[in-house]
Amino acid sequence: MDLRQKLLEVSRGFRIDYEYLGYETIQMGNVNHTYKVNFLLPDGNPKSFLIQNVNTYAFRNPVGLMENIDKVTEHIRAKKPDQLTLHFHHTPDRKTYIADGDNFWRMTNYVPSVTFNSVSDLNVVRSAGEAFGEFQMDLADFDSGELMETIPAFHNTRKRYENLLEAIARDRAGRAASVQEEIGYLLSVQELACTLTDLQERGELPLRVTHNDTKINNVLFHPGDCSAMIVIDLDTVMPGLMGHDFGDAIRFAANYVEEDCPEYEKAGVNLEVFRAFAEGFLSKTAAAMTKKEVDTLALSCFVLTAELATRFLADYLDGDLYFKVKSPEHNLIRTRCQIALAKDMQKKLPQMEKIVFDCVSAAKK
Ligand code: GN1
Ligand code: MG
């Protein structure tokens, strides 16, 4: 069946009976597939929905994942009934998904909004920082034991290094010989990159409920004034560290270039963007943070960047099984861009730490 027809069938499965106009593929996310499906209401107005095909290679228990999202959005709705949260449509037997073979479909309302892959407007960055900080604080009283790990050991950097070493040994796609320099760099920074994981395992950093995938394009902004409306992509909401959310957000938003830019020499942390995000995030979280969390927050940016580089490189070595790729070298380009960013972060760590301390002091005044 062609995709147009398949998406119609899925929509009907979620009890959307309007006249079908067709679909558009949304370029969003490196793991799941997202489509905007368009309908005509009886009054002649258009109405759209989003359908996602969840990647079950990445998410092995998609039913558990949907239960996680339900619990988390319920928790936020109970606290803030007026806040926009994700709503999933139901099948006649009250399921929020349709599983057929390897496909796992879900459907939400389409929220007219703007998103950003790179941002220079510091107010937008600050607002994203507030949104992610607030998201974490909204879940501060949520029992993390209620959540299954949708991807086990997702931000366990030691495990990510083990995966990389296994991928090197397998050399499934015959690419290992050509990436010795990248492997060499990543192994040379392994101990520093594993700092958060080690501190967590020693009980020196508190486990919280975190988003874990805080790319700025996972915030939808108001089309008019560009204020943050809603945090989306809740697939990886799981127990995690505050630094995972802060670090991943900076890795993405504060890079001078997009994460897969082939002009590696241009990659680096824009400290103005760093400061704006830190101001927003810490204005919400500083009061709840431990000293160790504050002390390791700037380092978390390096950690998340190096960790993602190990993931991109492992996937490149495996022959691109996990991340969607636009060319055979896409995962290698991503790896190199993350490595260039990580190196710049190592250099700028003292400046980043100072900004964090300043923002924490300001937030506590
Ligand atoms: C994936 O699917 P998306 O684009 O939201 C990945 C993140 C990576 C990111 C890199 C579940 O996120 O961990 O940081 O790509 N998500 C998963 O762009 O693996
Ligand atoms: Mg995601």
Side-chain angles (χ1 to χ4, degrees):
M1 189 188 296
D2 75 347
L3 187 55
R4 189 179 193 280
Q5 193 56 31
K6 184 78 218 174
L7 292 171
L8 171 61
E9 187 186 284
V10 170
S11 303
R12 298 292 186 239
F14 285 114
R15 302 181 297 176
I16 306 299
D17 294 327
Y18 310 125
E19 184 185 334
Y20 185 47
L21 298 175
Y23 79 95
E24 296 155 54
T25 301
I26 304 278
Q27 299 303 336
M28 180 171 89
N30 291 328
V31 176
N32 295 327
H33 292 267
T34 307
Y35 309 96
K36 181 174 169 223
V37 282
N38 304 316
F39 294 86
L40 202 58
L41 299 179
D43 65 8
N45 284 313
K47 178 148 179 86
S48 299
F49 301 86
L50 281 188
I51 291 183
Q52 281 191 309
N53 190 357
V54 176
N55 178 333
T56 50
Y57 178 78
F59 297 104
R60 303 294 168 105
N61 178 359
V63 175
L65 177 158
M66 292 307 288
E67 283 166 8
N68 273 11
I69 296 180
D70 258 353
K71 290 177 189 166
V72 164
T73 50
E74 272 307 311
H75 185 86
I76 296 177
R77 258 197 295 276
K79 265 189 183 168
K80 299 177 166 171
D82 295 333
Q83 180 158 321
L84 199 58
T85 48
L86 280 184
H87 267 287
F88 287 92
H89 287 261
H90 288 86
T91 61
D93 54 353
R94 303 295 303 156
K95 289 202 180 78
T96 53
Y97 57 86
I98 295 172
D100 74 69
D102 284 344
N103 296 316
F104 188 92
W105 305 98
R106 64 185 177 194
M107 186 176 212
T108 55
N109 281 351
Y110 174 75
V111 182
S113 58
V114 283
T115 55
F116 299 92
N117 284 329
S118 61
V119 211
S120 48
D121 184 336
L122 298 182
N123 290 325
V124 171
V125 176
R126 198 174 293 107
S127 167
E130 285 167 9
F132 282 127
E134 197 166 318
F135 182 82
Q136 222 179 76
M137 291 301 107
D138 285 344
L139 296 173
D141 56 347
F142 185 91
D143 174 10
S144 67
E146 292 246 336
L147 297 176
M148 53 108 27
E149 274 194 288
T150 57
I151 298 182
F154 190 59
H155 283 312
N156 181 325
T157 316
R158 288 238 170 254
K159 197 87 205 352
R160 294 296 186 182
Y161 267 91
E162 279 170 30
N163 295 347
L164 173 61
L165 290 174
E166 283 164 19
I168 296 169
R170 270 195 303 272
D171 198 13
R172 192 174 165 276
R175 292 167 161 174
S178 65
V179 293
Q180 289 304 308
E181 203 178 316
E182 290 75 15
I183 294 173
Y185 170 75
L186 288 174
L187 293 182
S188 76
V189 295
Q190 178 168 3
E191 289 311 303
L192 188 62
C194 291
T195 309
L196 291 194
T197 300
D198 293 350
L199 287 172
Q200 177 189 342
E201 261 156 29
R202 292 207 297 271
E204 292 180 42
L205 284 172
L207 207 54
R208 301 174 177 275
V209 176
T210 47
H211 182 283
N212 294 307
D213 189 4
T214 46
K215 302 204 284 196
I216 199 163
N217 58 16
N218 279 333
V219 180
L220 303 185
F221 294 88
H222 199 283
D225 61 5
C226 286
S227 57
M229 291 194 298
I230 177 174
V231 170
I232 59 163
D233 189 359
L234 307 184
D235 297 336
T236 50
V237 174
M238 288 183 276
L241 303 179
M242 185 170 281
H244 294 153
D245 282 359
F246 184 81
D248 195 46
I250 293 297
R251 171 196 78 66
F252 191 81
N255 193 352
Y256 283 112
V257 294
E258 291 195 27
E259 70 178 13
D260 56 356
C261 174
E263 294 168 276
Y264 319 121
E265 68 288 350
K266 292 191 182 154
V269 203
N270 180 332
L271 291 175
E272 289 309 307
V273 174
F274 180 89
R275 181 187 298 277
F277 188 89
E279 277 169 5
F281 188 85
L282 290 164
S283 71
K284 303 291 178 183
T285 55
M289 286 173 82
T290 67
K291 180 170 183 309
K292 201 65 158 195
E293 283 180 314
V294 174
D295 290 347
T296 53
L297 203 66
L299 179 66
S300 73
C301 306
F302 167 80
V303 167
L304 273 281
T305 306
E307 179 190 281
L308 186 60
T310 68
R311 296 176 58 197
F312 285 148
L313 187 56
D315 199 37
Y316 181 68
L317 292 168
D318 278 342
D320 312 313
L321 301 174
Y322 187 97
F323 294 103
K324 288 191 239 169
V325 289
K326 294 187 185 135
S327 71
E329 303 297 281
H330 200 167
N331 271 320
L332 180 58
I333 293 169
R334 288 169 170 149
T335 305
R336 289 182 174 155
C337 189
Q338 294 305 295
I339 287 179
L341 176 62
K343 287 180 178 168
D344 189 60
M345 285 174 167
Q346 282 182 283
K347 277 196 218 124
K348 291 182 183 156
L349 189 59
Q351 287 153 281
M352 290 158 60
E353 282 173 339
K354 166 130 193 351
I355 294 172
V356 168
F357 296 143
D358 289 351
C359 292
V360 169
S361 310
K364 285 186 169 171
K365 263 186 200 144

